[in-house]
Amino acid sequence: MPLLSVPKEVAVGTAMLGVAFATGMLAGRRYPSLGFGTPSGMIGKNSPIRQYILDHSLREHPVLKKLRLLTAEHPWGRMMVSCEQAQLMANLVKLIKAKKVIEIGVFTGYNALNMALVLPDNGRVVACDINEDYAKIGRPLWKEAGVEHKIDLRIKPAIQTLDELLANGEAETFDFAFIDADKENYNEYYEKCLRLIKKGGLIAIDNVFWNGKVLKPRKDDLAAQSIHRLNEKLLRDARVNISMLPVGDGVTLAFKL
């Protein structure tokens, strides 16, 4: 199905992201020191160019910043979505005028908060995780930001929550999904989200570089193998248009046709 068969906002967004990706790759060939073209394709967290990006593009709500700094102190703080990536997700949610969002993998809820802040007052983020202790860190800040009512936290295996949504007749009613949980189940998350997302909706899949390990997945690295298989599948999946972006640890955007 041609790209122009989807809503205008999605078509424009896809084109813009494609140009951004191409520009980044060209920059990487000309200026390898920027971080593009490294095995993982990432700009290092301590790279001066990443700091420049943050200094010149990050617009962070005060409560978001509070949660980010609080999460950074956690022993597993590195699991948090990078702030520039979370801002991109929120901008995409706003671009497609989303009202219903799925997040698989919540951690402390920084990304969920980012998206909830741009949803309309009657919007909803169905936030899936299996660890309530992490979410307890962010929940008070969701309330402080005035968006706690928009975040529907489900503490159970995400596949179970997705099956419940499908059983409740919510197929093709969601606008956006963000997948960032256990990598071995990525394909199943993707397939179920594809059923739940409406035509013209968007699925964002995080960690598609897996720190460069997808280039040559070891036989004992099930996560890298799973992500690599999904990356190959997405390339040929006629149900979506895709852009794989060198943001964070790599994120693929799949626009449902």
Side-chain angles (χ1 to χ4, degrees):
M1 186 178 295
L3 176 61
L4 293 179
S5 64
V6 301
K8 180 181 177 182
E9 293 89 347
V10 176
V12 172
T14 305
M16 290 174 63
L17 288 163
V19 170
F21 174 72
T23 302
M25 294 309 294
L26 288 171
R29 293 191 184 103
R30 262 185 95 183
Y31 307 110
S33 62
L34 297 187
F36 299 102
T38 59
S40 65
M42 297 180 295
I43 296 176
K45 287 187 176 181
N46 298 319
S47 166
I49 194 66
R50 180 173 185 265
Q51 190 58 51
Y52 185 89
I53 290 170
L54 297 181
D55 290 344
H56 292 83
S57 70
L58 185 62
R59 298 179 177 179
E60 198 172 33
H61 188 285
V63 181
L64 272 173
K65 182 176 181 179
K66 187 184 295 188
L67 180 53
R68 174 170 58 84
L69 295 177
L70 189 62
T71 304
E73 296 175 358
H74 192 278
W76 291 98
R78 65 182 181 276
M79 292 199 304
M80 182 178 65
V81 174
S82 68
C83 49
E84 68 272 24
Q85 181 177 333
Q87 180 170 286
L88 173 61
M89 297 304 106
N91 283 335
L92 289 170
V93 165
K94 192 171 184 179
L95 173 69
I96 64 174
K97 298 179 173 63
K99 291 184 178 179
K100 292 179 68 177
V101 172
I102 301 167
E103 181 175 51
I104 302 174
V106 178
F107 192 38
T108 65
Y110 179 83
N111 193 53
L113 175 57
N114 228 317
M115 295 187 292
L117 284 166
V118 301
L119 287 175
D121 195 59
N122 62 347
R124 176 171 63 130
V125 180
V126 177
C128 308
D129 211 303
I130 57 172
N131 191 317
E132 192 167 13
D133 290 338
Y134 295 152
K136 285 179 179 177
I137 297 172
R139 190 188 286 275
L141 297 176
W142 302 345
K143 185 174 182 179
E144 182 179 338
V147 296
E148 185 181 24
H149 64 288
K150 299 183 190 180
I151 303 175
D152 179 7
L153 181 63
R154 310 279 184 98
I155 302 297
K156 62 181 72 174
I159 289 173
Q160 184 179 336
T161 295
L162 299 177
D163 283 338
E164 289 172 356
L165 294 172
L166 290 167
N168 289 337
E170 295 192 60
E172 297 193 335
T173 66
F174 285 83
D175 304 288
F176 183 90
F178 183 76
I179 300 174
D180 182 21
D182 54 302
K183 313 311 172 190
E184 290 84 351
N185 282 316
Y186 259 32
N187 182 67
E188 193 161 0
Y189 294 148
Y190 169 69
E191 288 294 336
K192 292 183 185 297
C193 284
L194 199 60
R195 293 173 60 191
L196 287 161
I197 294 294
K198 63 179 65 171
K199 290 183 179 180
L202 172 60
I203 300 173
I205 305 164
D206 197 20
N207 300 120
V208 294
F209 296 163
W210 201 231
N211 199 31
K213 295 175 184 177
V214 293
L215 294 175
K216 192 174 182 181
R218 298 196 318 267
K219 291 183 179 180
D220 62 343
D221 191 340
L222 299 181
Q225 289 185 30
S226 298
I227 296 170
H228 177 61
R229 283 195 298 268
L230 181 58
N231 288 344
E232 292 193 322
K233 172 180 174 175
L234 287 167
L235 176 63
R236 297 168 178 81
D237 194 340
R239 298 171 295 177
V240 294
N241 282 329
I242 64 169
S243 286
M244 180 183 283
L245 304 178
V247 179
D249 190 25
V251 59
T252 292
L253 305 178
F255 298 83
K256 183 175 177 178
L257 300 175

